[in-house]
Amino acid sequence: MITEYSVKELKKLLEEEKLTSRQITEIFLERCEKLNPDINAFLYINKEEALEEADKKDRERSEGKAEGRLHGIPVALKDNMAAEGMQMTNASKFMEGFIAPYDATVVRKIKDEGGIILGKLNMDEFAMGSYNEFSAFGPVKNPWDRERTPGGSSGGSAAAVAALMTPISLGTDTGGSVRQPAAFTGLTGLKPTYGRISRYGITAFGSTLDQVGILSHGTEDCALMLSVLAGEDPMDSTTLEGSGTDFSDFAKGNLKGIKIGIPVKFLEGLNADIKENFDRAAEELKKLGAEVEEIDLEYTHLSLAVYYIVASAEASSNLARFDGIRYGIRAENSGTITDLYKDSRTEGFGEEVKRRIMLGTYVLSSGYYDAYYNTALKVRTVIIEEFKKIFEKYDAVMTPSSPVFPKKLGEKGASVLDAYLNDLYTVPANIAGIPAITVPSGFKDGLPQSFQLLGNYMDEKKLLQISYAYEKENDFVKTFPEGVK
Ligand code: GLN
């Protein structure tokens, strides 16, 4: 048995030949077999192939050819990422049985570095949602309290790492889907700068917002995975020149000279427990040498309204390709081609996806385009300018990751609008395209707590630096939920 579960620690065990890759892979697969029937984090476990790959890695190591930064390490993927030969459902009935014909760029990069793909993870259908209850294949349970949601839409990615079913996972973050589930399960969760990581081979939701993110036990694993994934990709024209660099050399030490801004007005009305934890974390950062000051963000609260217009508009356009002809299910006995489209979409999509498509189609329709979509784009520009100004003076902006604790699964009474409103603190980073990270900061009644740091464009290193300095002094990432080991 092992007691260490981070990539960093597992790499060390491999290098010191204390464990083989096969043994490590078996440990995680065993836990998958034991826990997944209840937690439901994996939609597909790649057992045979993963073990075969692990044996191959062990042979390479014994021949002195263990090359690659993830050599022999298992990694799990959100089910909206293409991994050749594996199912890719987006947690939608529409795509049930679809087998990806090629690797997404991120998957190819993981394989090139010697990583082993452990399986595909549950999510809200097409990444739309915050609680993983919109999966067509059942909700995911939070390993910290199995009556509660692990968050969403990357709920499977979060629960699988938190329950020690995989050392690390990838998710996608369009409006918080990596950072909020990381917060709900006590993990480090990073959404990099828009354009940092290729989206080739990943199902598009909101194309100007989507970014691949990382869920890990701590900052160093996150930095390592970011180094593996980052970089310009000819297959994704939105990737940025110079985006591929090594992040593992982020500054480690005290936070002297680091300036952090807290947008106090934006935080008004915060839940008392969340506020208390947040204030404590801010004090801690000060003790570590950071200058923490109050700042004004006048327009950032409008991100939420902008997000639900822009994300829905882009989703309605992106999901037009799911028409019953090209991918997934096709309705039977439909008369005309229009009926075929309509019937297939009616059958295939779940209620939340339909709601987003309708909302998006509405805001893009000729009578309302200017009033909603165009106005949202203008406000988006204002928000981007506001952040640019702030980052002239500050290294990071600090907010909570989520204004609420994870709700109970199946809880009645909370409206769809409430769920949207709870994205308040995560969507600004997507609207502005800036990087942001969830940092675990304690527990309340057995549930994880955390805060969020937003950083300047392409300045993930600063976020990693602050996250690491905090984690060193307040190590919450090595506490695991009961009943998973
Ligand atoms: N909760 C947000 C939504 O439902 C975020 C989704 C995401 O980031 N994929 O749109």
Side-chain angles (χ1 to χ4, degrees):
M1 268 335 264
I2 51 172
T3 53
E4 317 277 29
Y5 300 92
S6 72
V7 174
K8 184 183 170 196
E9 291 156 333
L10 294 170
K11 275 181 68 158
K12 196 157 160 260
L13 290 171
L14 284 169
E15 274 151 27
E16 292 169 354
E17 298 192 2
K18 290 200 173 123
L19 280 182
T20 63
S21 174
R22 180 167 186 111
Q23 286 169 322
I24 288 176
T25 309
E26 277 175 347
I27 287 170
F28 286 99
L29 283 170
E30 268 166 34
R31 211 177 276 103
C32 287
E33 265 164 28
K34 190 174 111 197
L35 298 170
N36 203 53
D38 188 42
I39 291 182
N40 201 26
F42 279 84
L43 293 178
Y44 174 72
I45 300 171
N46 190 32
K47 184 175 173 184
E48 303 307 324
E49 228 178 279
L51 288 173
E52 245 172 68
E53 271 304 306
D55 285 339
K56 198 170 129 204
K57 302 300 176 226
D58 287 332
R59 279 197 301 277
E60 286 171 8
R61 188 171 295 277
S62 66
E63 290 160 10
K65 285 190 232 143
E67 276 158 30
R69 289 173 281 186
L70 296 171
H71 194 273
I73 301 288
V75 180
L77 308 167
K78 188 171 179 176
D79 204 26
N80 59 354
M81 303 178 172
E84 193 183 337
M86 266 182 240
Q87 70 164 51
M88 176 186 184
T89 67
N90 294 286
S92 178
K93 263 202 301 185
F94 214 120
M95 299 292 285
E96 207 171 353
F98 179 79
I99 305 290
Y102 61 87
D103 280 337
T105 298
V106 289
V107 177
R108 186 183 48 72
K109 287 189 167 198
I110 288 170
K111 289 182 179 172
D112 285 352
E113 294 287 343
I116 296 171
I117 308 299
L118 206 55
K120 305 296 294 292
L121 298 160
N122 208 343
M123 55 188 280
D124 282 296
E125 184 179 6
F126 286 104
M128 297 168 192
S130 300
Y131 305 127
N132 227 290
E133 288 178 309
F134 293 130
S135 164
F137 307 114
V140 180
K141 293 184 183 174
N142 190 325
W144 291 97
D145 176 350
R146 295 196 199 177
E147 286 186 3
R148 289 178 194 272
T149 172
S153 64
S154 311
S157 305
V161 179
L164 311 176
M165 296 153 91
T166 179
I168 193 163
S169 71
L170 301 192
T172 54
D173 191 314
T174 304
S177 279
V178 162
R179 290 161 286 149
Q180 180 256 29
F184 283 6
T185 55
L187 302 174
T188 305
L190 175 74
K191 179 203 90 76
T193 307
Y194 180 80
R196 177 66 85 180
I197 298 177
S198 168
R199 295 175 293 127
Y200 174 68
I202 296 168
T203 310
F205 165 7
S207 303
T208 69
L209 306 157
D210 295 343
Q211 186 59 196
V212 174
I214 300 154
L215 295 106
S216 65
H217 296 293
T219 312
E220 287 179 293
D221 279 14
C222 187
L224 170 71
M225 186 57 92
L226 183 61
S227 312
V228 168
L229 302 180
E232 208 180 346
D233 180 10
M235 302 304 281
D236 176 355
S237 61
T238 62
T239 49
L240 299 164
E241 214 184 308
S243 54
T245 117
D246 183 22
F247 292 88
S248 47
D249 63 348
F250 65 84
K252 293 177 182 166
N254 67 33
L255 297 178
K256 279 228 170 67
I258 295 285
K259 286 187 84 169
I260 299 173
I262 297 184
V264 271
K265 274 218 201 88
F266 191 33
L267 308 188
E268 267 170 20
L270 208 55
N271 161 305
D273 289 327
I274 292 177
K275 178 152 188 355
E276 193 203 313
N277 182 275
F278 181 85
D279 290 344
R280 200 164 353 113
E283 278 309 310
E284 193 69 44
L285 290 171
K286 265 191 221 164
K287 275 192 222 143
L288 291 165
E291 277 174 60
V292 180
E293 287 172 12
E294 294 186 1
I295 56 167
D296 232 358
L297 287 176
E298 216 180 316
Y299 300 106
T300 297
H301 66 283
L302 298 173
S303 297
L304 196 62
V306 171
Y307 173 80
Y308 275 95
I309 292 171
V310 172
S312 306
E314 294 179 6
S316 72
S317 157
N318 276 323
L319 266 55
R321 72 188 58 156
F322 298 96
D323 55 7
I325 307 285
R326 279 169 285 199
Y327 306 91
I329 64 162
R330 175 175 303 172
E332 283 169 29
N333 309 320
S334 295
T336 66
I337 183 83
T338 316
D339 289 340
L340 175 65
Y341 292 155
K342 208 161 80 188
D343 296 345
S344 303
R345 288 164 72 81
T346 304
E347 264 177 51
F349 289 138
E351 66 170 304
E352 182 62 21
V353 174
K354 284 178 189 161
R355 190 163 23 241
R356 302 287 177 112
I357 293 174
M358 284 190 282
L359 194 60
T361 310
Y362 179 80
V363 300
L364 289 174
S365 61
S366 63
Y368 295 102
Y369 186 93
D370 273 330
Y372 294 109
Y373 184 68
N374 244 347
T375 307
L377 292 190
K378 287 181 193 153
V379 178
R380 185 175 192 178
T381 305
V382 172
I383 295 166
I384 290 171
E385 291 308 319
E386 178 161 80
F387 273 116
K388 278 191 182 154
K389 251 207 218 115
I390 285 289
F391 289 122
E392 282 170 13
K393 276 179 70 185
Y394 293 89
D395 298 293
V397 171
M398 182 178 174
T399 73
S401 309
S402 167
V404 290
F405 286 96
K407 73 171 190 93
K408 289 214 164 131
L409 289 164
E411 201 171 61
K412 297 271 177 295
S415 69
V416 170
L417 188 62
D418 287 332
Y420 294 178
L421 291 173
N422 289 341
D423 291 337
L424 180 67
Y425 294 125
T426 47
V427 293
N430 306 78
I431 292 302
I434 55 179
I437 193 167
T438 284
V439 184
S441 59
F443 296 90
K444 176 77 191 172
D445 301 330
L447 293 172
Q449 294 194 282
S450 67
F451 61 91
Q452 176 184 226
L453 298 164
L454 300 95
N456 200 1
Y457 295 93
M458 303 299 266
D459 203 3
E460 283 86 346
K461 273 194 193 170
K462 221 39 104 20
L463 298 184
L464 295 167
Q465 178 187 350
I466 306 169
S467 169
Y468 183 77
Y470 182 84
E471 176 187 314
K472 275 293 249 187
E473 295 301 318
N474 309 271
D475 199 350
F476 299 111
V477 298
K478 283 214 183 94
T479 312
F480 305 122
E482 267 172 46
V484 303
K485 280 204 258 171

